[in-house]
């Protein structure tokens, strides 16, 4: 083993080269005679001694710009060189079909877009995974989980075409899902979207950065299920293939320390370092590989650098003085991109021509051979060695930093070019050059017409491809829509966990407390309890969940290695390896990623779970809305609980904590069912309905329910009439008033204010008000949209009126609607209200003050509701209204809440 090249690393400051060589030879002797473990031990001891003696030295953050795995450490390629040649040819076929798919679509429809260059760079990375490492789900094995780089979707479709999972017609409808259905065909979505292709894609990764954090928490949730005895440990892996530019997204790197802290050796990242993002180099003036090595290694990951192909091995072997390594170390990514975009003669002059030593190394190569020098991510033998090392590594997650060329094989049209990401249309000359570059058996005419190519069924290539996938469990990606009947969860009768809410009889509690109490009872249920997953982001005590610490414990892969400070308390902090609560710390992004993993377990693992993620409502859709949207795409099933909700219930907290918009955002997600209940019994009915829809009827919906920390007397569920239908559809009347002069519609905490306003109107002004509880403006608006559409599409046919219209059509009394959210929410049903309609809301920034002052500021308290009602009853009688304002104590000269 020759380590002499190491002597060149620090030669610029070496004042005693002979002594340096003696130290290096001593280390080399230890390595050769005893092995790497002893060498590592000695280096660690020397480093510790240096610190102890005040030398204040730390090893360089980066290793040299070469492969981590040395040639002699590489295992043989499975099947030998013949198998490798077949797989390289198959990768070329898939590159062609992916290219043809995108270019064909854009020739016909220039607006469709699509991406060629990303998959061109990553094709070999994917093929080694598909042929040797990505294990599919079958009857015996639950399957590995793979998060695919979204811009490489055309290549995944191209492989599915060869496997027989997609047809040529399917490829022809790339990015034309609507048109495909008109022809009875399946269209192909732009990126991995489980909602659009529910039997194909498992994980949505189209929004950059979402995939990495979800992959980490998915790997952790897999361990959670194993440690709790819900799943057998089968050695499953979670793979994530991502881009180097994508690593700039904060979510991409946000949970690296969690992965190492939890020792998630079931997790492998492959970062495709083609050194280029959409507009140019990722780090033009530096090395993105070095930067990522520092970040991942510093976070405790095992880092494998896969930079250069096998044809570089002989060059490094001739690099006796380390000049080639030095040249690579100092060549920044922007220059590497320039080298990638130019030919062998250019690279001979500008890269190998830097020193006499590098010129000598290149003397034995022709310009064409220099041009064909591969980067590590295009060498299947090197890729296989890196993947095998990662799959066999224990005790740490692994990241493989694989260097490639963006637009690999696209030649002058795109290889290494600044514009390669935007390449979607290629001329005939470029297509033929691409065909020639990869030696594809396609005629010039087929090339010009962008014909898809599929080897004959009895060809060696097709036999090899199908045999490899068969050995790994079958095709992938593939999503299983529902768990089988044996795994279906039984929903307990509502009375078993919510009798206290149905029969509250005036007991005082907040809706948060009601929800937590229901959750505690569910956790005790013999059938459902172990499948409930409580999730918090370091706010369990805030939400009154501390009693669950002792009841079910907080999940920790290490158990509890300390004696908690509050060990004598009945609410003491208890961590356990089989703990049930996922207490994620101060990371809403991490907590929602855990929720997503649990909420999609029914499909990912064939094991339905029931997650409740409870969080400050302001930190949901506003802060991590993209992650919630990705969960919706993944067809999540579970409960998001927006606690301390509304803009005026959270007294004292101020602008960034007081939520006045989450329900508006939630309304934009089609499969999110959102409610803002006022009473505990409403909460009970809503949660029971959600469980039955998700667990019994297997509906791909999730529930967003807001709760408050405001204690108030809780009535029992009315027994004189059935209000459950109204609760679920969005509104019901608390007490019908035949002679009502005004109707008050109120949601959540504002219902109490509306009831108080009704009493004031009756007692002080003789005005009769009818009060309605609105549990969901969103559900009412959706119902109205559907009813109006039906009427448009079926003219002349008696159609069902919108539910709001049905409920309010008995009279013409003006309607006042109020919620603790911006007016946009209550405005959403205006079209369906058959009377004069006025909305009150909390538009503007939040403030730090008491609830009473906040509600006065936003003009949503009982006094303002009453005054607004009187403006409708008294009409233009200014005198009466001024007297009423004085009597009610409202300031008619105060500024609008949005203007201060």
């Amino acid at each position: 083993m020759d380590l002499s090249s190491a002597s060149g690393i620090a030669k610029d400051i070496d004042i005693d080269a002979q002594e340096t060589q003696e130290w290096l030879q001593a280390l080399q002797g230890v390595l050769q005679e005893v092995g790497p473990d002893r060498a590592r031990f000695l280096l660690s001891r020397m480093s510790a001694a240096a610190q102890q003696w005040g030398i204040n030295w730390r090893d360089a953050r980066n290793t040299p710009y070469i492969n981590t795995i040395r040639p002699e450490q590489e295992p043989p390629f499975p099947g030998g060189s013949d198998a490798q040649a077949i797989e390289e040819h198959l990768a070329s076929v898939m590159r062609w079909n992916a290219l043809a798919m995108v270019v064909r679509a854009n020739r016909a429809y220039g607006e469709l877009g699509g991406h060629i260059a990303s998959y061109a760079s990553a094709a070999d990375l994917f093929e080694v995974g598909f042929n040797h490492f990505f294990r599919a789900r079958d009857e015996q094995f639950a399957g590995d989980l793979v998060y695919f780089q979204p811009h490489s979707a055309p290549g995944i479709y191209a492989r599915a075409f060869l496997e027989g999972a997609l047809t040529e017609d399917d490829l022809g409808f790339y990015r034309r899902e609507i048109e495909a259905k008109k022809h009875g065909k399946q269209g192909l979505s732009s990126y991995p979207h489980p909602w659009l292709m529910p039997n194909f894609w498992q994980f949505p990764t189209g929004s950059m950065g979402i995939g990495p954090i979800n992959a980490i928490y998915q790997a952790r949730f897999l361990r959670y299920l194993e440690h709790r005895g819900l799943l057998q440990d089968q050695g499953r892996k979670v793979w994530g293939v991502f881009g180097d530019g994508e690593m700039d997204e904060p979510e991409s790197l946000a949970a690296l320390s969690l992965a190492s802290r939890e020792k998630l050796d079931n997790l492998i990242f492959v970062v495709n370092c083609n050194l280029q993002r959409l507009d140019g180099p990722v780090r033009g003036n530096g090395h993105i590989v070095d930067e990522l090595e520092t970040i991942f290694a510093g976070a405790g990951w095992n880092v494998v650098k896969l930079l250069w192909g096998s044809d570089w091995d002989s060059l490094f072997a001739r690099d006796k003085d380390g000049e080639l390594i030095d040249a690579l170390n100092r060549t920044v990514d922007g220059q590497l991109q320039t080298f990638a975009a130019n030919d062998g003669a250019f690279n001979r002059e500008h890269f190998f021509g830097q020193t006499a030593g590098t010129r000598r190394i290149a003397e034995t190569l022709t310009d064409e051979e220099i041009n064909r020098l591969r980067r590590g991510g295009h060498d299947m033998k090197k890729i296989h060695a890196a993947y095998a090392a990662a799959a066999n590594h224990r005790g740490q997650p692994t990241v493989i930093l694989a260097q490639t060329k963006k637009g690999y094989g696209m030649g002058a049209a795109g290889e290494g070019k600044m514009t390669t990401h935007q390449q979607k249309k290629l001329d005939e000359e470029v297509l033929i050059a691409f065909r020639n570059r990869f030696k594809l058996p396609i005629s010039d005419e087929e090339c010009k017409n962008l014909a898809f190519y599929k080897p004959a069924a009895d060809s060696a290539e097709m036999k090899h491809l199908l045999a490899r996938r068969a050995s790994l469990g079958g095709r992938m990606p593939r999503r299983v829509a529902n768990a089988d009947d044996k795994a279906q969860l039984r929903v307990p009768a509502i009375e078993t966990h919510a009798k206290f809410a149905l029969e509250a009889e005036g007991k005082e509690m907040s809706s948060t407390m009601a929800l937590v109490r229901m959750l505690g009872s569910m956790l005790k249920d013999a059938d459902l309890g172990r499948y409930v997953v409580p999730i918090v982001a370091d706010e369990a005590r805030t939400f009154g969940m501390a009693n669950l610490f002792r009841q079910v414990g907080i999940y920790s892969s290490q158990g509890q290695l300390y004696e908690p400070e509050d060990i004598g308390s009945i609410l003491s902090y208890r961590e356990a390896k089989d703990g049930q609560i996922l207490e994620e710390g101060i990371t809403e992004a991490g907590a929602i990623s855990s929720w997503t993993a649990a909420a999609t377990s029914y499909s990912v693992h064939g094991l339905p779970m029931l997650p409740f993620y409870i969080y400050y409502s302001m930190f949901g859709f506003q802060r991590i809305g993209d992650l919630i949207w990705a969960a919706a795409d993944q067809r999540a099933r579970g409960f998001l609980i927006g606690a301390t909700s509304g803009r005026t219930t959270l007294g004292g907290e101020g602008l960034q904590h007081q939520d006045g918009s989450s329900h508006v955002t939630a309304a934009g997600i089609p499969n999110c069912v959102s409610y803002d209940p006022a009473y505990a019994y409403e909460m009970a009915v809503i949660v029971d309905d959600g469980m039955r829809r998700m667990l019994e009827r297997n509906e791909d919906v999730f529930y967003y329910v807001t709760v408050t920390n405001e204690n108030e007397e809780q009535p029992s569920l009315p027994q004189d009439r059935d209000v459950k239908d109204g609760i679920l559809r969005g509104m019901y009347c608390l007490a019908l008033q035949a002679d009502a002069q005004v109707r008050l519609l109120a949601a959540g905490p504002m219902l109490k204010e509306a009831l108080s306003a009704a009493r004031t109107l009756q007692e002080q002004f003789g005005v009769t008000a009818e009060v309605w509880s609105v549990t969901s403006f969103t559900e009412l608006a959706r119902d109205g949209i559907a009813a109006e559409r039906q009427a448009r599409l079926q003219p002349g046919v008696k159609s069902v009126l919108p539910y709001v219209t049905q409920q309010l059509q008995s009279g013409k009394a003006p309607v006042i609607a109020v919620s603790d959210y911006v007016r946009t929410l209550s405005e959403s049903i205006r079209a369906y209200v058959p009377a004069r309609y006025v909305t009150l809301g909390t538009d503007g920034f939040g403030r730090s003050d008491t609830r009473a002052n906040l509600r006065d500021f936003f003009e949503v308290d009982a006094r303002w509701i009453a005054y607004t009602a009187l403006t409708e009853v008294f009409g233009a009688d200014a005198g009466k209204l001024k007297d009423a304002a004085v009597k009610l104590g409202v300031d008619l000269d105060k500024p609008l809440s949005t203007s201060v």
Side-chain angles (χ1 to χ4, degrees):
M1 181 182 294
D2 182 11
L3 299 181
S4 59
S5 61
S7 64
I9 294 174
K11 63 184 179 182
D12 293 339
I13 58 172
D14 195 344
I15 61 173
D16 191 337
Q18 182 176 349
E19 181 184 32
T20 301
Q21 192 64 26
E22 289 172 357
W23 279 89
L24 290 173
Q25 288 174 350
L27 179 63
Q28 184 174 8
V30 171
L31 185 59
Q32 292 175 336
E33 295 297 325
V34 188
D37 288 342
R38 178 62 179 169
R40 280 191 287 268
F41 173 80
L42 291 174
L43 289 170
S44 296
R45 289 297 298 270
M46 291 182 71
S47 176
Q51 293 294 323
Q52 182 180 350
W53 296 335
I55 296 176
N56 196 25
W57 170 87
R58 177 172 290 181
D59 193 11
R61 293 179 301 168
N62 295 114
T63 56
Y65 205 72
I66 57 175
N67 293 344
T68 300
I69 300 174
R70 298 173 63 83
E72 62 270 20
Q73 297 171 320
E74 295 171 8
F77 191 85
S81 58
D82 289 344
Q84 184 175 343
I86 288 175
E87 291 178 23
E88 287 173 349
H89 177 67
L90 285 168
S92 300
V93 170
M94 290 169 206
R95 279 191 178 93
W96 168 261
N97 285 335
L99 176 151
M101 187 189 326
V102 175
V103 177
R104 183 191 284 196
N106 283 278
R107 274 187 183 176
Y109 307 93
E111 78 227 48
L112 290 180
H115 302 279
I116 301 170
S118 290
Y119 178 71
S121 69
D124 300 302
L125 298 173
F126 281 117
E127 281 309 294
V128 173
F130 276 121
N131 288 320
H132 303 284
F133 293 94
F134 299 164
R135 298 168 294 176
R137 179 172 168 180
D138 58 27
E139 293 182 1
Q140 287 75 42
F141 181 69
D144 291 333
L145 308 174
V146 184
Y147 288 76
F148 292 97
Q149 184 184 27
H151 287 147
S152 293
I156 310 305
Y157 294 141
R159 169 170 258 277
F161 167 58
L162 292 196
E163 291 180 4
L166 296 177
T167 67
E168 187 168 328
D169 284 341
D170 293 328
L171 300 194
F173 284 108
Y174 171 65
R175 289 196 172 202
R176 289 197 297 151
E177 299 159 75
I178 299 170
E179 183 67 21
K181 286 182 170 55
K182 296 177 183 177
H183 300 271
K185 305 294 183 181
Q186 174 184 237
L188 303 184
S189 61
S190 55
Y191 304 118
H193 291 305
W195 190 268
L196 302 175
M197 297 180 67
N199 299 315
F200 192 89
W201 294 115
Q202 182 73 72
F203 303 112
T205 54
S207 186
M208 292 294 194
I210 299 299
I213 192 170
N214 274 329
I216 290 172
Y217 279 89
Q218 183 66 253
R220 204 279 295 267
F221 189 70
L222 179 55
R223 283 284 166 82
Y224 168 89
L225 293 174
E226 292 167 354
H227 288 164
R228 291 192 54 226
L230 295 170
L231 282 184
Q232 179 185 352
D233 183 354
Q234 296 183 311
R236 298 164 68 194
K237 299 289 186 183
V238 177
W239 295 78
V241 184
F242 309 115
D244 49 357
E246 185 176 4
M247 292 297 113
D248 281 345
E249 287 287 0
E251 294 90 350
S252 295
L253 306 177
L256 298 188
S257 60
L258 170 82
S260 60
R261 185 170 69 246
E262 297 284 308
K263 297 180 173 55
L264 296 180
D265 52 17
N266 60 346
L267 176 66
I268 301 168
F269 275 14
V270 180
V271 181
N272 176 19
C273 297
N274 57 36
L275 314 183
Q276 193 173 334
R277 54 193 178 202
L278 278 63
D279 291 334
V282 178
R283 294 291 183 275
N285 296 311
H287 278 166
I288 185 58
V289 169
D290 285 348
E291 182 179 320
L292 293 177
E293 179 186 25
T294 299
I295 292 170
F296 278 89
W301 286 53
N302 174 43
V303 179
V304 176
K305 290 162 75 170
L306 171 61
L307 306 182
W308 309 108
S310 299
D311 34 14
W312 285 80
D313 290 343
S314 60
L315 306 186
F316 289 126
R318 295 201 294 272
D319 184 29
K320 301 302 181 183
D321 297 321
E323 292 187 53
L324 177 58
I325 293 177
D326 282 346
L328 293 172
N329 285 339
R330 65 175 174 261
T331 303
V332 296
D333 286 355
Q335 193 62 36
L336 283 172
Q337 183 188 349
T338 299
F339 293 150
N342 285 279
D343 60 15
F346 181 93
N347 280 274
R348 181 189 298 280
E349 178 182 354
H350 293 89
F351 176 72
F352 289 105
Q354 294 182 62
T355 68
T358 54
R359 283 194 294 273
R360 283 194 301 272
I361 288 172
E363 284 176 355
T364 60
L365 301 176
T366 66
D367 287 349
E368 179 59 22
E369 288 172 331
I370 291 175
N371 191 46
R372 291 298 179 91
L373 286 172
R374 287 179 296 177
R375 296 184 177 180
H378 301 305
D379 186 322
M380 288 190 170
K381 187 172 188 296
K382 298 286 188 184
I383 298 169
H384 179 269
Y387 283 15
N392 292 321
H393 188 76
R394 295 294 176 265
Q396 292 173 288
T398 294
V399 60
I400 297 168
L401 303 175
Q403 185 166 255
T404 65
K405 289 183 182 180
K406 192 158 189 176
Y408 182 66
M410 292 173 66
E415 186 166 291
K417 302 287 187 181
M418 291 287 191
T419 58
T420 188
H421 192 79
Q422 282 71 35
Q423 282 286 15
K424 299 170 178 61
K425 299 178 182 179
L426 302 177
D427 60 31
E428 293 178 2
E429 183 179 341
V430 171
L431 293 172
I432 290 174
F434 188 96
R435 186 263 327 260
N436 295 341
R437 165 71 177 80
F438 291 107
K439 300 181 175 61
L440 297 170
I442 303 171
S443 70
D444 286 358
E445 191 64 25
E446 289 171 326
C447 214
K448 294 173 185 177
N449 293 329
L450 294 164
F452 296 124
Y453 173 66
K454 188 173 186 177
D458 60 352
S459 66
E461 296 98 326
M462 289 300 292
K463 288 180 179 179
H464 182 87
L465 180 142
L466 297 176
R468 292 309 310 147
R469 283 315 309 161
S471 71
L472 294 170
R475 71 177 179 88
M476 180 188 276
R478 177 168 57 92
R479 179 180 180 275
V480 178
N482 284 308
D484 58 37
D485 293 338
K486 294 178 182 178
Q488 194 168 37
L489 301 182
R490 183 190 67 80
V491 176
I494 189 172
E495 293 78 13
T496 63
H497 58 271
K499 187 175 181 180
F500 74 93
L502 303 176
E503 301 174 7
E505 298 179 348
K507 294 185 182 71
E508 199 171 272
M509 71 183 84
S510 68
S511 53
T512 300
M513 282 296 91
L515 185 280
V516 171
R517 188 170 170 184
M518 290 177 206
L519 184 59
S521 294
M522 288 179 206
L523 288 164
K524 296 175 184 176
D525 185 83
D527 296 317
L528 179 66
R530 64 198 304 249
Y531 302 99
V532 175
V533 186
I535 303 171
V536 287
D538 202 41
E539 292 284 2
R541 296 186 192 276
T542 302
F543 305 139
M545 298 173 64
N547 62 306
L548 300 183
F549 295 166
R550 178 67 64 90
Q551 181 180 335
V552 294
I554 298 164
Y555 171 71
S556 168
S557 61
Q558 296 176 286
Q560 192 160 35
L561 306 180
Y562 61 94
E563 184 178 278
E565 172 274 328
D566 59 354
I567 193 168
S569 167
I570 61 171
L571 303 179
S572 62
Y573 200 78
R574 184 174 76 87
E575 297 186 72
K577 194 169 183 177
D578 61 352
Q580 200 158 346
I581 301 169
L582 289 173
E583 210 285 11
E584 300 297 7
I586 304 175
T587 166
E588 280 83 13
I592 192 64
S593 297
S594 272
W595 181 85
T596 300
T600 57
S601 177
Y602 72 93
S603 169
V604 175
H605 305 297
L607 178 69
M609 304 293 288
L610 183 64
F612 286 81
Y613 171 30
I614 307 176
Y615 58 92
Y616 266 54
S617 64
M618 191 66 157
F619 302 149
F621 289 90
Q622 174 168 301
R623 187 165 188 166
I624 50 165
D626 201 13
L627 284 157
I628 297 175
W629 187 264
D633 187 353
Q634 202 173 330
R635 310 175 86 99
R637 300 173 186 173
F639 289 93
L640 295 177
I641 306 297
T644 58
S645 65
R647 187 150 281 162
T648 69
T649 64
L650 190 58
E653 287 291 307
L655 188 150
Q656 285 188 278
H657 282 64
Q658 292 168 344
D659 167 31
S661 58
S662 65
H663 275 287
V664 176
T665 310
I669 300 179
N671 55 336
C672 177
V673 184
S674 60
Y675 289 97
D676 184 23
Y679 294 143
Y681 69 73
E682 294 175 350
M683 173 76 69
V685 170
I686 290 165
V687 170
D688 180 72
D689 175 68
M691 289 194 293
R692 296 189 187 283
R693 289 182 67 180
M694 294 182 283
L695 299 180
E696 291 185 345
R697 300 200 290 273
N698 290 324
E699 294 185 42
D700 291 335
V701 296
F702 66 97
Y703 275 51
Y704 175 56
V705 185
T706 45
V707 295
T708 77
N709 61 342
E710 189 171 358
N711 286 329
E712 57 184 282
E713 291 184 0
Q714 296 286 345
S716 298
L717 178 72
Q719 297 300 310
D720 57 335
R721 56 204 168 88
D722 186 4
V723 300
K724 290 183 180 179
D725 182 63
I727 291 172
L728 297 177
R729 297 192 68 174
M731 66 184 289
Y732 67 99
C733 186
L734 294 183
L736 291 169
Q737 300 287 343
D739 57 348
Q741 295 167 272
V742 66
R743 285 169 162 165
L744 307 180
L745 275 56
M750 294 299 105
L751 182 58
K752 176 177 66 176
E753 300 292 340
L755 288 168
S756 178
R759 289 192 295 271
T760 298
L761 288 168
Q762 182 67 59
E763 294 168 2
Q764 297 187 30
F765 301 96
V767 172
T768 302
E770 186 176 78
V771 181
W772 292 68
S773 176
V774 178
T775 54
S776 179
F777 281 107
T778 301
E779 287 300 291
L780 293 175
R782 288 173 175 174
D783 171 85
I785 291 169
E788 282 198 338
R789 177 182 182 273
Q790 182 183 0
R792 285 196 304 274
L793 299 187
Q794 298 178 342
V797 177
K798 185 177 180 181
S799 57
V800 177
L801 291 173
Y803 185 72
V804 173
T805 309
Q806 294 177 42
Q807 298 304 300
L808 300 178
Q809 65 182 342
S810 61
K812 295 299 180 182
V815 177
I816 314 296
V818 59
S819 78
D820 212 8
Y821 290 84
V822 295
R823 287 173 175 82
T824 301
L825 183 62
S826 51
E827 285 287 338
S828 65
I829 66 168
R830 175 178 289 278
Y832 320 119
V833 178
R836 164 76 177 159
Y837 186 56
V838 181
T839 59
L840 301 177
T842 56
D843 298 71
F845 286 127
R847 294 292 194 281
S848 299
D849 216 306
T850 63
R851 291 190 187 112
N853 283 342
L854 289 169
R855 288 171 184 170
D856 175 60
F857 176 81
F858 288 108
E859 301 170 15
V860 292
D861 65 7
R863 297 171 308 127
W864 281 100
I865 296 170
Y867 177 77
T868 305
L870 291 173
T871 63
E872 296 302 311
V873 174
F874 292 163
D877 193 329
K880 278 189 175 182
L881 290 175
K882 286 183 179 179
D883 289 344
V886 172
K887 198 171 184 179
L888 291 168
V890 297
D891 179 7
L892 300 184
D893 295 322
K894 68 184 289 292
L896 184 66
S897 60
T898 56
S899 63
V900 291

